[in-house]
Amino acid sequence: MKKKIHLIVGARPNFMKMAPLYKEFTKFPEEFEVKLIHTGQHYDERMSKFFFDDLQMPKPDEYLEVGSGTHGKQTAKIMERYEKVLLKDKPDLIIVAGDVNSTAACAIDAVKLHIPVAHLEAGLRSFARTMPEEINRILTDAISNYLLTPSLDGDENLLAEGVPKEKIFFVGNIMIDSLMQYQDRAKKSDILNKIDIDSQQDYALITLHRPSNVDSKTGLLTILNAFEEISKSINLIFPIHPRTTKQIKVFGLEEKVKNMKNLHLILPVGYYDFLKLQMEAKFILTDSGGIQEESTYFGVPCLTLRPNTERPITITEGTNKLVKLETEDIIKEAKEIISSNIKKGEIPKYWDGRTAERIVKIFKD
Ligand code: UD1
Ligand code: UDP
């Protein structure tokens, strides 16, 4: 009997985690029947369709069209719509990734119908429960049957929470599977020609979307003021997340951003283009989870604009550094890198492009 498996995607960081797994499962059509379920948490072309194209994924088998909303509303909508799919389809296993609302919502649905759940990227903890993603991580790990960890700190966190070790599988970092598969293609991206900067000049790459950074005017200004000063020394390329675009409008900061001469504000870009922007950057300023990892793989210094990280290995082994959220601290750290005081790093264990292979092995009887 074939095992029926649902792979869940919903938001931008899910696509590059599920694509390699989808491909690996479909190598064994006699053993697995795999369906791709898209909740529609992210729905803009640039937050969703671009990734299906770049990552060569088929159209989802189910598209739940939940869209945006408050946490309660979005989570409830996903649960209501995905439950119907589960009741109709009765899979043997569902696999969820990361820490977005779609992750926790679908896991809760499945476990209540006694359908086993595997959590990809299990065990990560920022230990800050004010972060919505930390709640999603804790909830999903607590109810999942298979905890697939990207690094050994994940195993340690789960063991410390009393999770039996038979449930924990150190499989490695699946984002790196996608990165390794597509980095040659990404090198050919012409994104830098499209942005109006001299190709010989250095630039720093920026992303910003955490509610704690962009949902208050003071918090956002603290960071934008630092960008303003840093942009006097280096070009800044900023593919801006829709949440941040919205907040800049709400706080009336559009003119301020427009007037920063060397700040190149662009719409969110596809996967190849973003890998290219990362690999060529002098350094990265971000509050993203995944970008802390990708920059470590590329050996590009990363300044993380957050008081904590659920990915400490990017600091202990990689090129990442947390920066205090004060304008002067952000400027100081950036200037240190500009004057070539660069942190070097190593690539952590099992960030080797073979994570999907290790995962599929677990489920092959
Ligand atoms: C979500 C995840 C976050 C992840 C991020 C990746 C949760 C709780 N948060 O945050 O962990 O790091 O995705 O990018 O799941 N919007 C659009 N178009 C879209 C999607 C969103 O315009 O396609 C706008 C809407 O105004 C929406 C806002 O962005 O209200 C926030 O979207 P949402 O999915 O709630 O959270 P993110 O900030 O994207
Ligand atoms: N990314 C992208 N285009 C962009 C910004 C990010 O392709 O304009 C990719 C990035 O390479 C990484 C993932 O999106 O693979 C990270 O997603 P995001 O920062 O939205 O979410 P997080 O990791 O913080 O949850």
Side-chain angles (χ1 to χ4, degrees), residues 152-266:
L152 287 168
D153 52 284
D155 297 47
E156 280 164 28
N157 291 334
L158 293 169
L159 291 170
E161 287 173 16
V163 176
K165 71 172 183 309
E166 302 72 48
K167 288 173 86 176
I168 305 171
F169 301 84
F170 172 39
V171 293
N173 191 332
I174 194 129
M175 282 194 106
I176 305 302
D177 283 26
S178 278
L179 187 159
M180 288 175 77
Q181 186 181 346
Y182 292 110
Q183 66 177 340
D184 285 340
R185 171 65 189 78
K187 276 182 196 148
K188 297 186 192 129
S189 149
D190 63 352
I191 182 77
L192 281 165
N193 304 334
K194 292 186 192 152
I195 300 168
D196 185 25
I197 57 171
D198 179 341
S199 60
Q200 300 306 310
Q201 275 182 14
D202 281 339
Y203 66 87
L205 176 65
I206 295 176
T207 79
L208 200 63
H209 70 271
R210 291 284 153 223
S212 54
N213 282 338
V214 306
D215 283 6
S216 87
K217 187 171 183 180
T218 327
L220 187 53
L221 266 174
T222 299
I223 296 173
L224 291 180
N225 286 337
F227 293 168
E228 193 165 27
E229 184 59 31
I230 298 165
S231 72
K232 293 177 187 159
S233 313
I234 191 166
N235 280 295
L236 300 178
I237 299 179
F238 187 2
I240 189 163
H241 189 286
R243 174 190 282 275
T244 311
T245 305
K246 189 171 84 182
Q247 293 307 105
I248 285 177
K249 265 194 205 131
V250 168
F251 299 137
L253 296 171
E254 288 152 302
E255 280 306 306
K256 179 181 178 69
V257 173
K258 224 188 271 163
N259 290 337
M260 289 186 215
K261 200 168 131 275
N262 295 322
L263 179 79
H264 303 266
L265 208 59
I266 57 175

Side-chain angles (χ1 to χ4, degrees), residues 30-77:
E30 309 290 303
E31 289 174 67
F32 302 109
E33 183 191 324
V34 185
K35 284 194 177 166
L36 204 55
I37 315 293
H38 188 348
T39 64
Q41 175 173 347
H42 284 177
Y43 44 85
D44 283 352
E45 199 183 29
R46 288 172 173 273
M47 300 296 287
S48 174
K49 184 179 179 301
F50 272 27
F51 297 91
F52 280 83
D53 295 345
D54 282 3
L55 296 157
Q56 300 165 300
M57 281 204 284
K59 273 210 168 97
D61 296 279
E62 299 279 350
Y63 185 55
L64 307 182
E65 288 183 89
V66 300
S68 302
T70 60
H71 285 276
K73 203 167 170 182
Q74 188 176 59
T75 308
K77 245 183 177 176

Side-chain angles (χ1 to χ4, degrees), residues 131-165:
M131 221 186 150
E133 292 81 3
E134 183 75 352
I135 306 300
N136 290 336
R137 289 189 277 264
I138 294 168
L139 279 177
T140 309
D141 283 344
I143 58 176
S144 291
N145 307 70
Y146 300 89
L147 298 157
L148 311 173
T149 62
S151 47
L152 287 168
D153 52 284
D155 297 47
E156 280 164 28
N157 291 334
L158 293 169
L159 291 170
E161 287 173 16
V163 176
K165 71 172 183 309

